Amino acid sequence: MDWLTTVDHKKIAILYLIAGGFFFGIGGIEALLIRVQLWKPMNTFVTAQQFNELITMHGTTMIFLGVMPIIFAIMNAVIPLQIGARDVAFPFLNSLGFWTFLFGGLLLNLSWFMGGAPDGGWTAYAPLSSTTYSTTHGVDFYTIGLQIAGLGTLIGGINFLATIITMRAPGMSFMRMPMFTWTTFVTSAMILFAFPAIAVGLVLLSFDRILGANFFNVAGGGNPVLWQHIFWIFGHPEVYILILPAFGIISEVVSTFSRKRLFGYSSMVFATILIAFLGFMVWAHHMFTTGMGPVANALFAIATMLIAVPTGIKIFNWLFTMWGGQITFNTASLFAIGFVPTFVMGGVTGVMLGSAPADYQFHDTYFVVAHFHYVIVGGLVLGLFSGLHYWWPKMFGRVLNETLGKIEFWTFIIGFHLTFFLQHFLGLVGMQRRVFTYLPNQGFDLMNMLSTVGAFLMGVGVILFLVNVVITARKPVGVENDPWGDGRTLEWAIPSPPPEYNFKQLPLVRGIDAYWKEKMAGHKEMTPAEPVGSIHMPSPTIIPFVMSVGLFIAGLGFMFTTDDFGNSFLNFLFNNYIVVIIGLGITFGSMIVHSLYDDAGWHIEPEEIDGKGAEA
Amino acid sequence: MMKRWKAGKRLVPLFVGLTFLLSACGREDLSALRPQGPVAQGQFDLMKLAITIMLSVLVIVFGIAAYVLIKFRRKPGDKEMPKQVEGNHLLEIIWTGIPLILVLVLAVATVQKVFAYGENYWEDKDAIRVKVTSHLFWWEFNYPDYDITTAQDLIIPTNKKIAFQLKTADVIHSFWVPSLGGKTDTNTEGTINTAWLEAEKEGVYLGKCAELCGPSHALMEFKVKAVSQESFDNWVAAIKQPVEPIQDPALAEVFKTQCLSCHAVGDQGGPMGPNLTGIGNRETVAGILINEEGSNKPFPGKPVKDNLIEWLTNPQEVKPGNHMPSPKEDLGLTDEEIEGIAEYLANVKLNY
């Protein structure tokens, strides 16, 4: 019950981590089923229809329900600590964001049990995603589930923007913020602009499917290419929404374990903002073969290639952060070091894809599959593993096992390269993506088999991580403030795990890498910026949970409004929008209750603080 | 800076070697790395330029990374904090400037080729015009200048520009013949695309659908058959010859009512399904059941008649989700009738 009502950012972080991990597991199982089907030509392990459902759900789950929530978990756990805040700006909204994401995700996955998962690819191109060609409710689960889950992301993004703008500790100017806070800030800004696009697209597609609108229907005056533009105006920035936080994590980890400040901090900030800006300018490079004409193709090609420049700045800055440092090779640092070459490989193939005429050959082949897995798995997932190992002691007060961690790293990264490096060549020799099978002797057989072996190795790596988590959970809580010994940012100045209120007194920030600066000056802890006083805390509340349940019911009701259940009572309930009304009633009712009931929160008094210390 | 250039020179043999390595990859009739026409060749050249630039980037980054990781390991004696460096303007300008130059080099080549392949040859008198229409899950090829419609096997003369207009009859597909050139989407009415290809040598090139289009997306294959100008002219003449009807009157009636309502054979039949004229010596049945005759097959084929029987007995098993009614269950054909029709169709051949 405590967990259903919490508004504490550290607990919400753990909720995000568990839920995100759960969906990541589902997405991973889907990936392995895909690889089993493709391990030999003309395999019949799954049917063509099941395969298309698997690829659609694998992509959708991994992006929206797997890695994004884990990013949010780390952001929630770390950002308030890094900027010296006691919580996020809107704790109630933080909880609401989590619950809408969870119920949206559950709704989407319910499709497996309710007559067919979405099957139009994670991009759901019209007209394939229209009711004419996708006859199950799969795509409805996709549009409505993602709509609800996307609401959570948008709420989270806005919350982080407000938190970072308004709640930095005294003395922490923007140019003194840790790099992970910077990338979270820029990512949140991108969420603010990109997610409304997909929200609109999903509404239009739901209207086409459920209410018979004609936005993407040619016969009714619509245009399917419109969907591609709307989708990619969101979809391309989404890639940077995913990768920028990883950049932030790597910056923190590389700097800590080289015992050096980040090389070229201001150019890193500049590069991050530039990447975000260019990220919005290049969506049409996903559409070079759609037929936009040579002028548009040329412009989008050049804009795309330009992203290599700020990304290159980052790569060299990381290398030169390590240059002259004293590098420690533990698990967190191995994952960060493994990230650099792997991501560079994903980056260079990105530039190759940006060259439009060459993309006519690469597009929709395994070359693309290899490229974006190098970016998303080789970049983001390695970054996430690095971040989890790095901040695990701060979140849970226990250090993950190092020996197991290193085995994890090597199995995962070897498996990864085995799986995806070969796929570049599969694409070049003519294998399209999203094919459930292929004829033998086309030069695909051996590479596909090895690719499947690699995928299972990656699976072993992930399982080892889970084993590590379980083993670590048995250890007693309570490592020191700064278990790595070289922590540079504010989160390492307070106990692990932090008390409910994070900082007894808000710290005074006197430069970049605030905590490191104090340590170098011979201090054990931060100089406080305020006297010890009573700390205001928000009250726990069940309302966000109830609101999300309401949306879940409404979504389910909306989907089945035109169905015949062969049961007059059910038909009555669904066809008259009664279920929708009940669901929305719950949601709006909760909002009214929340507005009318004035909750002033509660206070932790100074005498309690001294007694409590690290437990909470 | 000098050192960098010297290192670059030493890499040249590597890139030459790489070219040979890459061009040995995959089947000649399928791989984008073994181009068989000017479009694919130009795209391959661009790929090689991009790969060369990108490999040089990789070598530099990996080199620095390896050096740093070996040189700057933390040793037990390292008690002092290393010197904290804020940054270095000169270095940062270098690694902003050099990538910018590399990108510009690639950008120039890219823009050149974008316009070259975006050229529309539809009005060119020397080009062969073909209207491509994609269907779930087959390809229709219409030659407006010759008044010919065929399916699955696209016959073209060598060393001539083939100008395409591409559209779809249902969902979006993508027309792709890797060894002749990159893909172009087939959009719905109102957003019709153009493209052009050219084959330098005679041969059969494998074509694929590259855009997810439903269950049998993986099986929506076609063949491009490049032949000499003389053979092409023969083919144009042969396909217009009347086709001998089925001898057995009962079977002819079944064929006419059940098959020709959708399919055309010669001058008879309807336009809904794939045109079957000349199916007896096509490369495949349904795009994926490979016929025995001919050369350079992905894997051993079967006699046309056997493939036709397999297809007609259970079309959903061969190509799930296709729109053909099941001859047995929906149309009520017996095994004997199916065999008779397969026998007949296997002999509908074109000499060219």
Side-chain angles (χ1 to χ4, degrees):
Chain A
M1 198 56 197
D2 193 22
W3 289 96
L4 298 185
T5 59
T6 184
V7 291
D8 178 13
H9 73 94
K10 296 175 286 294
K11 283 190 164 177
I12 290 174
I14 294 169
L15 287 173
Y16 264 119
L17 188 62
I18 295 169
F22 169 72
F23 287 122
F24 186 85
I26 294 181
I29 291 167
E30 283 156 0
L32 290 179
L33 294 177
I34 291 170
R35 283 316 320 170
V36 171
Q37 165 66 15
L38 291 175
W39 84 283
K40 64 171 191 184
M42 301 304 277
N43 200 5
T44 52
F45 177 68
V46 294
T47 65
Q49 175 63 25
Q50 285 165 342
F51 185 87
N52 288 353
E53 292 174 4
L54 280 174
I55 54 162
T56 305
M57 287 299 283
H58 166 67
T60 313
T61 304
M62 281 303 197
I63 296 225
F64 292 98
L65 311 176
V67 291
M68 280 201 62
I70 298 178
I71 295 172
F72 268 57
I74 297 183
M75 286 177 176
N76 259 305
V78 175
I79 294 301
L81 306 184
Q82 268 197 341
I83 61 172
R86 292 208 167 104
D87 204 329
V88 292
F90 308 110
F92 177 90
L93 283 186
N94 203 15
S95 154
L96 180 63
F98 169 74
W99 292 112
T100 46
F101 140 67
L102 181 66
F103 281 102
L106 289 178
L107 183 66
L108 179 56
N109 275 281
L110 212 56
S111 61
W112 284 116
F113 310 103
M114 292 183 68
D119 55 1
W122 87 282
T123 53
Y125 273 18
L128 183 63
S129 56
S130 68
T131 40
T132 321
Y133 301 104
S134 184
T135 47
T136 66
H137 274 297
V139 179
D140 299 324
F141 278 103
Y142 171 94
T143 55
I144 295 170
L146 286 188
Q147 191 70 270
I148 296 174
L151 209 58
T153 310
L154 193 52
I155 291 172
I158 293 170
N159 207 344
F160 281 121
L161 277 180
T163 306
I164 294 171
I165 292 173
T166 61
M167 295 180 69
R168 282 164 291 134
M172 180 172 281
S173 63
F174 269 97
M175 291 311 279
R176 283 178 181 175
M177 284 192 328
M179 206 56 215
F180 182 60
T181 305
W182 253 115
T183 55
T184 301
F185 180 66
V186 176
T187 301
S188 306
M190 293 187 81
I191 289 175
L192 182 64
F193 291 107
F195 268 72
I198 187 76
V200 167
L202 291 172
V203 166
L204 300 185
L205 188 56
S206 317
F207 281 10
D208 265 17
R209 288 184 59 91
I210 296 166
L211 304 179
N214 287 315
F215 293 105
F216 308 118
N217 177 9
V218 184
N223 185 348
V225 177
L226 177 64
W227 167 262
Q228 298 181 22
H229 282 290
I230 294 175
F231 185 86
W232 288 116
I233 284 172
F234 146 79
H236 195 77
E238 170 70 12
V239 177
Y240 296 96
I241 291 173
L242 296 176
I243 199 66
L244 286 180
F247 286 174
I249 293 170
I250 301 302
S251 303
E252 302 287 332
V253 174
V254 162
S255 157
T256 301
F257 295 113
S258 310
R259 310 182 85 204
K260 272 187 71 201
R261 69 169 283 178
L262 192 62
F263 191 92
Y265 173 84
S266 46
S267 64
M268 284 297 234
V269 171
F270 171 72
T272 308
I273 296 170
L274 198 62
I275 290 173
F277 178 75
L278 287 174
F280 277 98
M281 300 293 140
V282 297
W283 79 90
H285 70 211
H286 297 263
M287 299 164 61
F288 283 147
T289 67
T290 303
M292 298 180 297
V295 177
N297 277 3
L299 289 173
F300 279 105
I302 294 170
T304 302
M305 292 179 195
L306 279 179
I307 297 185
V309 177
T311 314
I313 294 177
K314 284 186 159 281
I315 300 285
F316 284 108
N317 277 337
W318 287 321
L319 292 175
F320 278 77
T321 302
M322 293 191 270
W323 190 290
Q326 297 159 357
I327 307 170
T328 309
F329 292 89
N330 56 22
T331 313
S333 135
L334 277 177
F335 272 111
I337 291 166
F339 164 96
V340 175
T342 312
F343 183 77
V344 172
M345 287 172 72
V348 296
T349 50
V351 178
M352 292 171 68
L353 284 165
S355 174
D359 182 67
Y360 301 157
Q361 288 284 18
F362 301 142
H363 187 74
D364 269 331
T365 69
Y366 261 86
F367 189 87
V368 175
V369 177
H371 158 72
F372 69 71
H373 281 94
Y374 262 85
V375 174
I376 296 178
V377 183
L380 177 61
V381 177
L382 289 181
L384 287 178
F385 274 124
S386 175
L388 286 174
H389 281 271
Y390 181 58
W391 280 304
W392 201 268
K394 187 49 65 185
M395 286 176 78
F396 297 99
R398 306 171 175 100
V399 184
L400 285 168
N401 184 307
E402 274 300 322
T403 320
L404 205 52
K406 283 175 185 162
I407 303 173
E408 241 171 77
F409 168 74
W410 289 110
T411 13
F412 189 82
I413 201 160
I414 292 170
F416 167 79
H417 283 280
L418 183 58
T419 310
F420 294 109
F421 186 69
L422 292 171
Q423 292 186 357
H424 292 113
F425 296 94
L426 268 180
L428 293 172
V429 302
M431 181 160 163
Q432 338 75 304
R433 66 192 277 212
R434 294 165 160 174
V435 287
F436 79 98
T437 193
Y438 49 93
L439 298 179
N441 299 326
Q442 296 185 94
F444 306 163
D445 307 5
L446 180 66
M447 284 193 271
N448 268 304
M449 191 196 278
L450 290 173
S451 196
T452 302
V453 173
F456 275 89
L457 261 183
M458 285 169 76
V460 171
V462 175
I463 289 171
L464 287 176
F465 174 75
L466 293 180
V467 170
N468 199 346
V469 168
V470 172
I471 291 177
T472 306
R474 294 176 170 190
K475 284 197 255 178
V477 184
V479 293
E480 23 183 333
N481 290 2
D482 182 11
W484 307 117
D486 290 311
R488 310 176 70 85
T489 40
L490 282 178
E491 72 268 31
W492 306 110
I494 54 173
S496 319
E500 209 177 348
Y501 44 81
N502 299 347
F503 293 88
K504 190 162 79 178
Q505 296 157 285
L506 292 186
L508 181 67
V509 174
R510 295 200 281 197
I512 200 165
D513 291 340
Y515 183 49
W516 181 84
K517 212 174 170 68
E518 297 294 331
K519 282 196 286 186
M520 287 302 108
H523 302 153
K524 282 266 181 283
E525 49 189 42
M526 297 299 299
T527 316
E530 58 173 17
V532 178
S534 126
I535 298 170
H536 175 254
M537 303 295 293
S539 313
T541 162
I542 191 77
I543 292 177
F545 179 83
V546 178
M547 277 171 78
S548 310
V549 171
L551 284 176
F552 179 86
I553 295 171
L556 213 51
F558 187 55
M559 205 177 310
F560 292 102
T561 42
T562 52
D563 277 45
D564 183 14
F565 290 89
N567 170 327
S568 58
F569 179 64
L570 281 179
N571 282 350
F572 171 74
L573 277 185
F574 279 91
N575 298 355
N576 295 315
Y577 294 91
I578 290 175
V579 180
V580 180
I581 293 167
I582 293 175
L584 289 180
I586 294 174
T587 302
F588 286 116
S590 316
M591 284 183 184
I592 292 170
V593 171
H594 183 59
S595 311
L596 294 182
Y597 176 62
D598 190 18
D599 186 350
W602 54 289
H603 286 81
I604 301 178
E605 300 305 330
E607 45 277 17
E608 285 179 74
I609 296 174
D610 287 332
K612 258 188 171 173
E615 42 119 21
Chain B
M1 281 311 274
M2 262 326 275
K3 262 190 171 170
R4 196 175 295 238
W5 284 117
K6 271 187 188 157
K9 261 186 196 167
R10 255 179 261 139
L11 292 174
V12 172
L14 179 77
F15 299 144
V16 176
L18 178 93
T19 308
F20 285 113
L21 191 74
L22 283 181
S23 52
C25 270
R27 290 168 57 102
E28 202 177 50
D29 55 353
L30 173 63
S31 174
L33 301 174
R34 304 183 70 179
Q36 306 296 322
V39 178
Q41 183 62 50
Q43 288 163 345
F44 182 55
D45 292 342
L46 192 57
M47 266 185 229
K48 279 192 294 190
L49 175 68
I51 292 179
T52 309
I53 294 175
M54 294 307 144
L55 268 183
S56 62
V57 172
L58 283 186
V59 167
I60 291 167
V61 172
F62 286 13
I64 297 176
Y67 176 77
V68 167
L69 293 178
I70 293 166
K71 181 83 193 281
F72 300 107
R73 307 172 80 92
R74 185 169 187 180
K75 295 159 199 87
D78 289 338
K79 297 281 180 247
E80 286 296 301
M81 237 338 136
K83 188 163 166 268
Q84 303 292 308
V85 189
E86 193 174 317
N88 182 320
H89 277 296
L90 181 66
L91 279 177
E92 287 170 51
I93 289 168
I94 290 174
W95 63 61
T96 313
I98 292 178
L100 206 55
I101 294 168
L102 293 179
V103 162
L104 282 179
V105 171
L106 189 57
V108 170
T110 297
V111 171
Q112 235 174 12
K113 293 215 156 68
V114 161
F115 285 93
Y117 303 140
E119 201 73 55
N120 184 354
Y121 289 101
W122 192 253
E123 299 303 331
D124 186 332
K125 283 189 189 62
D126 293 332
I128 307 276
R129 300 203 267 190
V130 181
K131 286 186 175 174
V132 177
T133 309
S134 55
H135 301 258
L136 291 166
F137 297 92
W138 58 282
W139 297 87
E140 178 183 326
F141 304 111
N142 173 263
Y143 301 68
D145 298 328
Y146 302 97
D147 195 23
I148 291 173
T149 300
T150 182
Q152 294 301 46
D153 279 15
L154 171 68
I155 315 290
I156 58 169
T158 52
N159 293 312
K160 263 210 148 163
K161 284 202 171 67
I162 317 296
F164 294 101
Q165 273 193 354
L166 307 107
K167 67 164 185 180
T168 181
D170 34 60
V171 304
I172 294 171
H173 304 266
S174 197
F175 176 85
W176 187 35
V177 192
S179 53
L180 295 184
K183 57 192 76 62
T184 312
D185 287 3
T186 62
N187 291 332
T188 45
E189 206 65 61
T191 41
I192 289 176
N193 281 329
T194 59
W196 67 277
L197 293 176
E198 187 178 327
E200 277 161 351
K201 296 193 294 192
E202 291 182 30
V204 178
Y205 305 103
L206 309 189
K208 311 212 167 209
C209 171
E211 182 68 67
L212 179 66
C213 55
S216 282
H217 163 56
L219 307 174
M220 191 172 159
E221 304 203 346
F222 63 98
K223 305 288 176 285
V224 177
K225 211 167 171 178
V227 296
S228 66
Q229 184 66 45
E230 195 194 349
S231 299
F232 180 74
D233 294 336
N234 290 342
W235 176 74
V236 169
I239 202 166
K240 292 189 169 173
Q241 298 301 315
V243 176
E244 190 84 5
I246 298 183
Q247 297 303 330
D248 176 3
L251 193 60
E253 184 58 26
V254 172
F255 186 67
K256 193 177 162 204
T257 53
Q258 304 294 15
C259 306
L260 293 181
S261 49
C262 294
H263 296 279
V265 178
D267 54 350
Q268 300 169 42
M272 270 176 55
N275 188 304
L276 300 177
T277 317
I279 192 165
N281 54 352
R282 281 202 191 143
E283 295 293 315
T284 59
V285 170
I288 42 165
L289 300 175
I290 291 164
N291 295 335
E292 205 169 42
E293 286 175 44
S295 57
N296 205 18
K297 307 291 190 191
F299 73 114
K302 284 191 291 189
V304 189
K305 188 184 155 191
D306 293 2
N307 280 337
L308 280 165
I309 291 175
E310 183 177 346
W311 169 252
L312 290 170
T313 310
N314 195 347
Q316 288 303 328
E317 176 139 350
V318 179
K319 245 184 183 177
N322 79 78
H323 287 177
M324 166 133 161
S326 165
K328 266 174 121 164
E329 275 150 37
D330 302 328
L331 306 176
L333 266 64
T334 63
D335 284 342
E336 291 73 42
E337 284 168 334
I338 286 174
E339 204 191 325
I341 288 168
E343 171 86 48
Y344 165 73
L345 285 174
N347 289 316
V348 179
K349 293 186 181 178
L350 297 173
N351 290 319
Y352 59 98

